[in-house]
Amino acid sequence: MSISRRAVLATAGGAAVAYASAPLPAHAEAGHVPAATTHVLRAAADYAVEKVRAVAPGVTGFPVATKFEKWTYSQNGDWVGGFWPGTLWMCWLHTDDDRFRALALDSARKLAPRRTDTTTHDLGFLFTPSWVTAWRLTGDDQWRTGAVQAADSLIRRYNPRGRFLRAWGALDDPANAGRIIIDTMMNLDLLVFATQQTGDTAYLDIVAHAETTQRLFPRADGSTPHVWDLDPATGAPVGPNTVQGYSPTSCWSRGQAWGIYGFTTLYRRTADARFLTTATRLAEYAIGVLTPNHVPVWDYRAPQHPHDIKDASAGAVMACGLLDLAAATGRQKYRDVALRLLTALAGTCLTRASARADAVVARCTRNRPAEDGVEVSLPYADYYLLEGIHRVLHPQALDRAIDLTMP
């Protein structure tokens, strides 16, 4: 295993306060933001906060997607349960209004049963923006302990023969046993967190999943499929596939964004330059196929591109990943594109025109091939829009919540 344990363990903190007080590197805050852009982003954040403030008292579970502009809910969180408490934390950072803090903690508590869930790879999505952030912002050790327990459940999905984390299905279910997806890159940071908090490098060994993803997913032009299938018995690659993309040879835009963000994060945690190289390759492809309005279509290689259904959630995730990549590489280009993405979302994708809407961001697509959630709102779009705005306007405050340290 070549991932640097020393680099990961060097950033381990004994308490949330230690994490929160670490200074950001100078280049993490570099780059002039035009006054007009600052105004647009601040207005978007203000709108988001007021929308969440108005809707939160009526939220009866974890928002999953909208139907006729109203949230539909999961009571156990599905795979998106971490984003509602995460959004509430972003609102708290923007306002210091302790009502958001109380709501975030109350919502996060409802995810407690999922700590022992071994049926999904999405424990990072569930526990990083909710429980890890809660620990970092409160110092209450119950959140740290619970996040580590979730990491313990996640590592049970590791297949050592193929060096991958299985995406879907119960551990004893042969269906999908060899299926891995690009989304899982976003769940690896939970394992790094567990390594930092316990000193146990068994979690970090499983980050070898990133090396497998890096070997299989990027094509020569930097695009990626959604899925790769492997033989679960031998680990041998079978071939690319898809569920939410147009085809095995297409490039699902949100998956590409997960890859940019996930590989950049893993570079920051491990100082492994290979991950930074991969993040850059994926970013260059995505930037090259963006349309002039800077709101990604749902799949960059679908036949109707560039005149196709949009996915604003892909734009929000991509903006966060590019801001991270700009800080990691010092390349202003990535920051400039991220600012254009965020201002495009703020200008054309917010729900300002609808008094009925529960969500902040519209024009999202969940699963176009299944005709499931087309032109709806999604909770991760709201979360990553606010995270992206904080990365630009309030990086020191955001660092308290999600740890922006560079190697």
Side-chain angles (χ1 to χ4, degrees):
M1 183 63 198
S2 56
I3 291 174
S4 171
R5 294 172 174 83
R6 178 178 296 178
V8 172
L9 294 173
T11 62
V17 173
Y19 263 117
S21 62
L24 288 175
H27 60 273
E29 299 181 82
H32 172 68
V33 182
T37 300
T38 297
H39 175 76
V40 168
L41 297 186
R42 184 169 289 118
D46 290 343
Y47 172 75
V49 165
E50 291 312 309
K51 175 64 72 175
V52 173
R53 193 194 307 276
V55 169
V59 168
T60 60
F62 296 99
V64 174
T66 54
K67 183 175 183 179
F68 303 119
E69 299 186 280
K70 294 298 184 183
W71 284 127
T72 61
Y73 298 104
S74 165
Q75 294 307 309
N76 76 351
D78 197 77
W79 73 270
V80 299
F83 294 117
W84 177 245
T87 297
L88 293 165
W89 281 123
M90 293 298 108
C91 292
W92 182 71
L93 289 177
H94 190 67
T95 63
D96 282 329
D97 183 342
D98 281 341
R99 285 177 292 181
F100 289 121
R101 182 183 188 275
L103 287 167
L105 292 172
D106 182 60
S107 179
R109 288 187 190 98
K110 295 174 183 176
L111 289 172
R114 301 297 299 278
R115 290 172 295 176
T116 56
D117 185 351
T118 61
T119 67
T120 177
H121 71 120
D122 283 319
L123 292 168
F125 281 127
L126 287 167
F127 285 92
T128 299
S130 56
W131 286 52
V132 172
T133 294
W135 175 72
R136 288 177 57 80
L137 292 175
T138 70
D140 186 335
D141 200 55
Q142 67 170 310
W143 306 111
R144 182 193 71 86
T145 301
V148 172
Q149 289 173 335
D152 288 336
S153 298
L154 179 56
I155 63 176
R156 292 186 60 191
R157 301 185 65 77
Y158 186 64
N159 182 320
R161 294 174 296 279
R163 301 172 76 236
F164 67 88
L165 283 161
R166 170 182 179 164
W168 297 310
L171 298 178
D172 59 354
D173 183 356
N176 295 310
R179 180 154 282 196
I180 63 175
I181 62 177
I182 192 69
D183 318 39
T184 305
M185 287 301 305
M186 293 293 291
N187 291 309
L188 300 182
D189 201 31
L190 182 66
L191 302 182
V192 176
F193 177 78
T195 304
Q196 293 171 330
Q197 296 308 308
T198 67
D200 185 347
T201 58
Y203 303 102
L204 195 61
D205 287 341
I206 291 164
V207 179
H209 173 94
E211 295 177 326
T212 301
T213 304
Q214 182 171 247
R215 175 170 54 87
L216 295 176
F217 277 73
R219 304 184 182 107
D221 63 358
S223 65
T224 59
H226 178 206
V227 174
W228 253 87
D229 290 321
L230 297 93
D231 184 327
T234 66
V238 175
N241 213 319
T242 197
V243 172
Q244 287 173 263
Y246 178 78
S247 75
T249 59
S250 72
C251 184
W252 177 49
S253 61
R254 190 163 68 246
Q256 190 79 3
W258 294 139
I260 295 166
Y261 193 147
F263 275 109
T264 305
T265 298
L266 202 54
Y267 163 71
R268 288 200 290 108
R269 304 301 188 222
T270 66
D272 189 326
R274 296 172 303 165
F275 297 142
L276 188 63
T277 298
T278 299
T280 301
R281 288 180 60 198
L282 271 55
E284 289 292 335
Y285 175 82
I287 291 169
V289 293
L290 278 177
T291 56
N293 69 11
H294 275 78
V295 181
V297 299
W298 73 280
D299 191 303
Y300 294 127
R301 286 184 166 183
Q304 299 302 315
H305 179 270
H307 310 292
D308 208 336
I309 296 295
K310 299 290 189 177
D311 183 8
S313 74
V317 175
M318 182 177 168
C320 292
L322 288 177
L323 288 167
D324 219 12
L325 189 59
T329 62
R331 298 181 190 175
Q332 183 68 27
K333 166 186 175 179
Y334 298 136
R335 185 175 175 85
D336 291 343
V337 175
L339 292 176
R340 290 197 292 272
L341 282 162
L342 291 173
T343 54
L345 297 177
T348 66
C349 297
L350 299 191
T351 58
R352 284 192 176 103
S354 174
R356 173 184 172 80
D358 278 352
V360 176
V361 181
R363 303 184 71 192
C364 298
T365 299
R366 180 166 56 186
N367 188 339
R368 178 71 187 278
E371 292 299 322
D372 173 21
V374 178
E375 290 286 354
V376 297
S377 295
L378 298 168
Y380 33 95
D382 289 7
Y383 171 79
Y384 286 110
L385 175 71
L386 280 169
E387 182 191 305
I389 291 172
H390 281 312
R391 283 177 177 272
V392 176
L393 301 182
H394 311 296
Q396 292 285 0
L398 186 65
D399 182 53
R400 294 169 55 202
I402 67 172
D403 185 9
L404 299 178
T405 342
M406 288 291 165

